[in-house]
Amino acid sequence: MIVAIVNQKGGCGKTTVAVNLALGTAGVKRKTALVDADEQGTCMKFYKTYETEHLHLYPAGNDVRKLVKGLREDFIFIDTPPHAADIMMLAMMEADLIIIPTRPRPYDLHASGNTVKIYRTIQEKLGWAPPAFFLLNQVKEGTLLSKEAPDFIAENFKLPILKTVLHDFEVYGQAPLSGQSVIQYAPKHKATKELANLLIEMSRVYKSVKR
């Protein structure tokens, strides 16, 4: 399963989501690749030393599609940069599933529209595109914004939203620094349950639309 994690808005948690998902699948001994397509190279700088027999990190280089086509891991997660529409488009085109993380805040939601435009362009050019889902990320529980965001996305972007929501827990940033996913780092934390639920939901979506 190839998952492109995209959003032209910076600060929405793409890298944190990508790293935790990759460490999560590697943690259950599934062959996993984490592709760093961000020119900042955050994944390669901070997590290269955490490679195991089940997790390998790759810089995307000049052609993310060419790199991904040559990978044979069971799970491939592509961390994409903000503001680089060409790289994002190539990652989307090679993916089986597209995840668009966004914080449930007005500026973030409006800025996500640029990512949706790129997705629609792919649909128009190819007549087809991988399924894309919004993921509400860094959510503060019980806030009005978190309750209104799904309606805004449905009305303005006409794309589905994953049922799983990732909350604004510090453990999401702490765990990868130890070379572990949230699941291994804090097995009893609420974040562990929602991350496990996200992996399950993504797998179900992938199986239902597998081409």
Side-chain angles (χ1 to χ4, degrees):
M1 176 168 68
I2 304 170
V3 182
I5 300 163
V6 305
N7 198 325
Q8 284 214 290
K9 174 71 172 67
C12 61
K14 292 187 297 293
T15 298
T16 299
V17 170
V19 169
N20 273 289
L21 290 174
L23 289 171
T25 54
V28 292
K29 299 183 179 180
R30 298 296 301 272
K31 295 291 185 181
T32 302
L34 177 57
V35 176
D36 190 349
D38 191 337
E39 66 272 11
Q40 295 180 13
T42 302
C43 290
M44 296 301 297
K45 288 178 183 176
F46 288 94
Y47 306 115
K48 180 66 175 177
T49 57
Y50 296 134
E51 283 189 316
T52 68
E53 62 176 313
H54 297 107
L55 175 65
H56 294 94
L57 276 71
Y58 303 91
N62 296 324
D63 192 339
V64 65
R65 291 192 76 187
K66 182 178 180 181
L67 171 70
V68 171
K69 284 181 183 294
L71 299 180
R72 294 294 178 264
E73 282 86 350
D74 301 322
F75 290 89
I76 301 171
F77 298 98
I78 309 173
D79 180 32
T80 61
H83 316 305
D86 52 346
I87 296 174
M88 187 176 296
M89 180 177 286
L90 290 174
M92 285 180 168
M93 292 169 65
E94 195 57 34
D96 298 309
L97 181 65
I98 297 168
I99 302 297
I100 308 172
T102 183
R103 295 180 294 185
R105 301 176 184 177
Y107 293 135
D108 293 80
L109 291 169
H110 282 282
S112 296
N114 294 326
T115 303
V116 176
K117 288 179 182 177
I118 295 172
Y119 179 71
R120 298 302 183 199
T121 298
I122 295 172
Q123 286 183 315
E124 293 172 5
K125 285 186 175 182
L126 302 181
W128 177 91
F133 289 78
F134 271 90
L135 168 67
L136 292 181
N137 190 34
Q138 301 177 17
V139 173
K140 295 186 182 298
E141 196 166 7
T143 61
L144 182 61
L145 287 174
S146 66
K147 296 176 181 178
E148 293 179 341
D151 289 337
F152 180 90
I153 292 170
E155 181 179 345
N156 291 276
F157 301 141
K158 305 296 188 297
L159 284 176
I161 308 169
L162 291 169
K163 293 180 181 179
T164 306
V165 171
L166 301 185
H167 289 87
D168 191 20
F169 295 131
E170 288 187 3
V171 71
Y172 280 114
Q174 294 168 344
L177 293 176
S178 69
Q180 297 175 302
S181 75
V182 169
I183 296 172
Q184 287 86 38
Y185 181 80
K188 295 183 179 180
H189 198 283
K190 289 182 180 179
T192 290
K193 184 175 182 180
E194 61 188 29
L195 183 61
N197 287 342
L198 177 59
L199 286 166
I200 292 170
E201 184 177 4
M202 288 169 53
S203 295
R204 287 175 178 169
V205 170
Y206 169 64
K207 290 176 182 177
S208 69
V209 299
K210 187 176 180 180
R211 64 184 192 272

